[in-house]
Amino acid sequence: MTAGLAPAGVEDASAQIGLKTQLVRFVATGALSAVVDFGLYWLLLEAAGLPVNLAKAIGFIAGTTTAYLINRRWTFNAAPSRARFIAVVVLYAVTFCVQVGINWVFYQAFDEGLWWRVPVAYVIAQGTATVINFVVQRLVIFRIR
């Protein structure tokens, strides 16, 4: 085994998990991670009074860390890998910008008095990032050897 790369056979186990199973596990993991992300985001925004982008950034980091750790082992059955970790960091940096940007656009687009302003902006941003994350993780990152 090369330092930072998955042991032989681990990728084969991941390939044996079907698309439907991976998708169901990814969505379940995403739901849990979204609770972490949105819960922290809302708490920091509403209760702590942090600026919207800072609150969203902290929530995103907590949620995506949760998602990566669970998806790596449960959804994609992948061993730790330096190359994979670097690829995930790059992917999450891109989806961070996409998600925070989309959240900001919709947060600003809705009137302040609307009770659903924060959750709707969050769902639109999170949905976009989720699709990007699943496709890139399934087709690229968790195939890295």
Side-chain angles (χ1 to χ4, degrees), residues 21-137:
T21 300
Q22 285 180 335
L23 189 56
V24 168
R25 289 178 179 185
F26 191 85
V27 168
T29 299
L32 173 63
S33 300
V35 169
V36 171
D37 181 348
F38 183 75
L40 189 55
Y41 167 50
W42 183 87
L43 184 67
L44 293 172
L45 180 66
E46 300 296 330
L50 290 182
V52 65
N53 288 341
L54 180 58
K56 182 68 189 102
I58 294 169
F60 177 87
I61 291 166
T64 54
T65 300
T66 301
Y68 172 72
L69 293 172
I70 296 171
N71 279 325
R72 182 183 63 79
R73 294 297 281 153
W74 186 51
T75 305
F76 298 106
N77 194 25
S81 158
R82 259 186 230 125
R84 186 177 299 114
F85 180 75
I86 291 167
V88 166
V89 168
V90 170
L91 172 63
Y92 284 173
V94 170
T95 57
F96 170 79
C97 294
V98 167
Q99 191 180 69
V100 171
I102 290 172
N103 185 74
W104 175 252
V105 166
F106 283 95
Y107 181 85
Q108 292 301 315
F110 302 132
D111 291 334
E112 276 188 49
L114 299 172
W115 67 267
W116 47 265
R117 178 186 190 197
V118 170
V120 169
Y122 174 86
V123 167
I124 294 168
Q126 181 65 38
T128 303
T130 297
V131 170
I132 293 168
N133 277 331
F134 181 76
V135 170
V136 174
Q137 286 183 44

